[in-house]
Amino acid sequence: MRKAERTRPQGKAGKEAAGSDRRREAAQAADIGEQLEGRHPVLEALKSGRQLNKILLAEGAEGGSVNDILTRAKERGIVVQRVPKAKIDAAAVTRNHQGVIAYLAAKEYVDLEVILQAADRSPRPGLIVVLDEIEDPHNLGSILRTADGVGAHGVVIPKRRAVPLTATVAKASAGAIEHIPVARVTNISQTLEMLKRAGYWVIGTDVNADSMYYQVDMTGPIVMVIGNESKGLGEVVKKRCDYLVRLPMIGQVQSLNAGVAAGVLLYEAVRQRGSKK
């Protein structure tokens, strides 16, 4: 991690430059998402039930309010990251962060059960998209847009090592974020096992799979699993899949953008289901 270099500028121009730098760094850290700074605002947000993507807490920060923040965050399953104070300073827009910054979700997450209930009420077979550590907010936004377009019943993302619902994701989704339910879970592998017990067949993508994507039956309740942009599906997640499929790659590049791959697979499900009517 690059150590933040901070200097104290002189004069009005220097102060304006410093403010601009802080805003730029804050936008990068929060993925252009809204953030709360300071112990009291963050604690009140937790008390009110606001949806938070994560909380940054400076190493060494302590006291009654910090303990309250940690307790309430744990109760709600919100990720708390202990980081050097220099990182908090770099990410803060104001000077009153008191060692605490919380990033707000662009939209409220839902429980996985909400997605399952929506699928049960639907006249169409269940279609759920599970994302394994997608890191690019534009990919997530694109996938949300496609998921809404094909009538998927919801999208599932992990709490750690993946991009959450941020302002950039919302913009990339072109409004779809307001219509497609998104659940955030602690463990993708365990979630897939639970979905299988609920009657879903799990289809994952793998460049070395024997089957082409169109050779698997997608007409019943299915979960489509899309892997990380560079690593693909994790090995444990692969083992939870009932089927692994690949897309034909004729050119020199042997993998597709995650958003594009998701679009191909989801519209194959639409094609198969349409042909069965």
Side-chain angles (χ1 to χ4, degrees):
M1 180 182 295
R2 179 178 65 85
K3 184 177 180 181
E5 297 179 359
R6 296 175 62 82
T7 59
R8 186 179 296 276
Q10 299 297 322
K12 181 178 179 181
K15 291 180 181 179
E16 290 176 351
S20 177
D21 289 342
R22 284 197 300 274
R23 285 189 292 273
R24 181 171 60 252
E25 290 174 329
Q28 292 170 345
D31 187 22
I32 321 179
E34 186 180 357
Q35 63 191 57
L36 293 174
E37 300 176 6
R39 298 183 182 189
H40 183 69
V42 172
L43 183 57
E44 288 304 313
L46 287 167
K47 290 179 178 178
S48 69
R50 289 284 296 275
Q51 290 280 347
L52 304 180
N53 283 326
K54 68 178 178 180
I55 297 172
L56 297 186
L57 188 62
E59 294 171 349
E62 56 185 23
S65 57
V66 170
N67 292 336
D68 285 345
I69 289 170
L70 290 171
T71 299
R72 290 180 180 273
K74 183 177 181 180
E75 289 173 351
R76 293 183 50 197
I78 296 170
V79 175
V80 178
Q81 295 180 347
R82 285 275 191 179
V83 299
K85 183 176 179 296
K87 183 171 182 179
I88 300 283
D89 290 338
V93 177
T94 71
R95 297 181 184 274
N96 301 317
H97 56 72
Q98 300 174 299
V100 183
I101 295 177
Y103 296 128
L104 305 180
K107 182 197 174 186
E108 289 193 1
Y109 299 101
V110 302
D111 291 333
L112 183 58
E113 187 61 30
V114 171
I115 294 175
L116 287 171
Q117 290 174 357
D120 288 342
R121 294 193 300 268
S122 172
R124 294 172 282 106
L127 177 57
I128 298 173
V129 183
V130 173
L131 306 180
D132 185 24
E133 298 186 9
I134 294 295
E135 298 175 334
D136 187 330
H138 297 93
N139 272 337
L140 178 53
S142 173
I143 292 169
L144 293 178
R145 187 175 184 178
T146 303
D148 177 62
V150 302
H153 297 101
V155 175
V156 180
I157 63 176
K159 287 184 177 180
R160 296 182 181 272
R161 296 184 295 278
V163 63
L165 295 181
T166 66
T168 301
V169 172
K171 184 176 181 180
S173 78
I177 193 173
E178 300 299 332
H179 305 288
I180 187 82
V182 179
R184 205 174 183 213
V185 300
T186 302
N187 190 298
I188 290 294
S189 177
Q190 292 177 4
T191 298
L192 292 178
E193 283 298 308
M194 187 274 285
L195 290 170
K196 289 166 75 170
R197 291 194 297 271
Y200 285 77
W201 292 91
V202 180
I203 302 171
T205 53
D206 181 37
V207 294
N208 298 314
D210 293 328
S211 300
M212 288 292 186
Y213 71 99
Y214 49 79
Q215 294 177 318
V216 173
D217 187 350
M218 300 182 185
T219 57
I222 62 169
V223 174
M224 198 75 75
V225 191
I226 307 297
N228 175 272
E229 291 90 346
S230 59
K231 299 178 295 184
L233 294 181
E235 290 302 317
V236 175
V237 172
K238 281 185 188 179
K239 292 178 182 178
R240 297 293 184 268
C241 295
D242 296 301
Y243 302 101
L244 290 174
V245 299
R246 62 185 174 90
L247 281 71
M249 301 300 297
I250 300 171
Q252 298 302 309
V253 178
Q254 290 303 300
S255 64
L256 285 177
N257 168 281
V260 173
V264 173
L265 291 163
L266 289 170
Y267 271 98
E268 172 62 15
V270 171
R271 184 192 70 80
Q272 290 190 21
R273 293 172 178 205
S275 67
K276 295 286 185 178
K277 289 182 179 179

